[in-house]
Amino acid sequence: MRIVNAAVSVCSPGRAFVTVRIDTDAGISGLGDATLNGRELAVASYLSEHVLPLLEGRDPMATEALWQYLYRGAYWRRGPVTMAAIGAIDIALWDLKAKALDVPLYQLLGGASREKVRVYGHASAGDLDTLCEAVARYRDMGYEAIRIQCTPPGVEHGYGVGKGDLYYEPATPGPRPAEETWSTAHYLDFAPRMFAHVRDAFGWELHLLHDAHHRLTPQEAAWLGQRLEPHRPFWLEDVAPAELQEGYRLIRRHTTVPLALGEVFNSIYDCRLLLTEQLIDYIRATPSHCGGLSHLLKIAHLAEVHHIRTGCHGPTDVSPVAMAAMFHFDLAIHNFGIQEFMRHTEATNAVFPHAYRFEDGFVHPGDVAGLGVDYDEDLARQHPYTPAYLPVAYLDDGTVHNW
Ligand code: EZ4
Ligand code: CO
């Protein structure tokens, strides 16, 4: 079997997605997701100008060799654009390989290690009572694990607060990023009260998660972690930026709160120290942003050696193609922890019909050969690309902060 064609396309059924399709002379095709929120055209161009023309005539079953060729062969290593592009090719090749062997992809990753994949949903609101209503709505849908985000009083924009009921999308359409203001002091005052309020309302029946979205220093993160311990969060996510991995030693020394990190990581080198020193509990790296399944498997195996579990990033800015890749991965690896599962809109699901299904707080990837996802290209063409950006955050004195 040989690759005869490879193409990338960008569509916006409500939000932008970058999709790769690889075709073979055997008539089998594979799909990959190259979406990088707010930087879609950079990845599409890297793919169409520099990667896709190299694939013709190659053996699509040689997933590892092709990965190494694209990674080492570029000379310029790592980085979000490059690794999202390599990730999309790799996912498409695994899809192809599983279709060629006529098995659901998880069978090639070790087979099922569990019956189903536990997922968490996103409850958010502008005040605590509405937040409890949102938590109850997710609980009633069957979610056993729920991320809670609420706008702190005195803060103009809390991170992670959606506009609608069930859909959360942080990017806003337009030629420039939206601007938001942030106050760490108000947030630190409020976050423990938010947890206390939700625990009072729901007791211990639910796993509660929370995302600080890179806004604290390690010392502030340690302070917050201590105060959340009595409420036993499932995890506290992205409490501080991790360019300085050693910074997490400080957080770790001061709190037992479980830490999750890594949704912006694009290679194993972003988390090597975090894993080998057991500085985190859950690794958030995700296949489409982190070099595909081939690379993510290496991260998961290194994590397993150090008693760290996975918690793949699964936001709405990852298409159903990469979501399916995660569900197959989650079902197969031993050290799976939990899977983020935000809900795509009906418009998105129509463009990417898929076999994975949600039931009572869990997802199963389905038993269709390959990933179990299709791409309706005619429908996609009816949703042309619309530029959208993630917001930029400022402190109240105008200093640029981490969004
Ligand atoms: O803000 O994917 O845990 N999930 C998140 C996400 C990110 C977006 C950025 O594009 O933090 O919602
Ligand atoms: Co996050």
Side-chain angles (χ1 to χ4, degrees):
M1 190 165 52
R2 296 283 148 190
I3 295 172
V4 291
N5 187 52
V8 59
S9 72
V10 187
C11 65
S12 290
R15 66 158 342 286
F17 296 107
V18 183
T19 307
V20 168
R21 199 194 70 228
I22 299 178
D23 303 324
T24 61
D25 57 3
I28 302 169
S29 301
L31 290 175
D33 178 16
T35 309
L36 189 62
N37 206 350
R39 295 293 183 273
E40 294 85 5
L41 299 187
V43 188
S45 149
Y46 184 77
L47 279 161
S48 60
E49 302 295 326
H50 304 293
V51 177
L52 301 180
L54 311 178
L55 299 180
E56 204 187 318
R58 293 185 183 275
D59 172 8
M61 300 295 263
T63 40
E64 183 66 21
L66 264 167
W67 194 95
Q68 300 294 345
Y69 173 77
L70 295 175
Y71 180 79
R72 292 168 201 277
Y75 185 65
W76 308 107
R77 297 185 184 201
R78 305 161 58 185
V81 172
T82 314
M83 295 300 274
I86 297 177
I89 303 295
D90 185 75
I91 292 169
L93 294 176
W94 278 100
D95 184 28
L96 247 165
K97 193 200 291 264
K99 283 177 185 161
L101 298 171
D102 197 26
V103 291
L105 177 55
Y106 69 81
Q107 297 292 12
L108 303 183
L109 307 177
S113 286
R114 54 194 54 78
E115 293 166 12
K116 51 193 179 174
V117 171
R118 175 179 274 114
V119 299
Y120 71 90
H122 284 206
S124 69
D127 64 83
L128 290 174
D129 289 335
T130 319
L131 176 64
C132 286
E133 287 168 22
V135 171
R137 203 152 44 239
Y138 275 92
R139 179 199 56 192
D140 294 347
M141 282 189 283
Y143 283 92
E144 294 178 356
I146 302 174
R147 183 181 99 159
I148 52 173
Q149 306 290 141
C150 191
T151 313
V155 174
E156 200 184 338
H157 301 97
Y159 160 75
V161 179
K163 294 181 190 81
D165 260 6
L166 289 177
Y167 304 110
Y168 167 68
E169 173 48 62
T172 44
R176 297 171 78 101
E179 302 197 339
E180 298 185 345
T181 52
W182 171 253
S183 161
T184 298
H186 285 104
Y187 167 75
L188 287 178
D189 168 48
F190 179 69
R193 287 196 279 128
M194 173 185 73
F195 262 90
H197 191 91
V198 176
R199 277 286 180 229
D200 277 351
F202 293 91
W204 300 95
E205 67 172 306
L206 297 168
H207 294 299
L208 299 178
L209 297 79
H210 179 64
D211 191 346
H213 224 245
H214 302 118
R215 295 182 181 195
L216 306 180
T217 64
Q219 192 74 357
E220 290 163 346
W223 186 95
L224 177 63
Q226 286 186 1
R227 274 141 193 96
L228 295 188
E229 281 169 23
H231 309 296
R232 198 162 54 76
F234 184 92
W235 78 33
L236 179 57
E237 174 181 340
D238 288 343
V239 277
E243 281 99 334
L244 182 70
Q245 295 179 47
E246 293 87 337
Y248 271 73
R249 289 177 183 147
L250 190 156
I251 305 172
R252 208 50 160 171
R253 264 201 300 276
H254 291 290
T255 177
T256 59
V257 79
L259 298 171
L261 194 64
E263 66 182 45
V264 301
F265 293 174
N266 52 69
S267 89
I268 199 167
Y269 303 104
D270 293 328
C271 49
R272 186 187 59 80
L273 190 84
L274 296 168
L275 299 180
T276 56
E277 291 195 12
Q278 293 179 267
L279 300 179
I280 58 173
D281 300 278
Y282 295 92
I283 178 72
R284 300 261 302 140
T286 204
S288 56
H289 297 149
C290 202
L293 289 163
S294 296
H295 197 62
L296 194 62
L297 283 167
K298 292 174 188 179
I299 293 178
H301 294 154
L302 182 60
E304 182 180 0
V305 173
H306 296 93
H307 297 261
I308 293 161
R309 287 180 285 176
T310 64
C312 287
H313 189 211
T316 43
D317 46 285
V318 164
S319 90
V321 173
M323 283 309 311
M326 290 177 226
F327 294 133
H328 286 277
F329 169 85
D330 297 338
L331 198 73
I333 60 161
H334 178 69
N335 57 325
F336 164 72
I338 201 165
Q339 172 65 55
E340 184 178 26
F341 180 50
M342 297 171 66
R343 305 181 85 79
H344 281 120
T345 61
E346 288 311 312
T348 297
N349 287 332
V351 172
F352 299 96
H354 49 257
Y356 62 78
R357 52 188 190 276
F358 172 88
E359 200 186 321
D360 276 343
F362 291 82
V363 171
H364 191 279
D367 279 304
V368 175
L371 284 171
V373 184
D374 286 324
Y375 181 44
D376 185 334
E377 297 188 34
D378 292 332
L379 193 56
R381 271 188 284 276
Q382 293 172 31
H383 298 285
Y385 174 61
T386 311
Y389 279 101
L390 293 171
V392 173
Y394 292 89
L395 302 179
D396 62 5
D397 66 356
T399 305
V400 176
H401 195 56
N402 309 312
W403 175 70

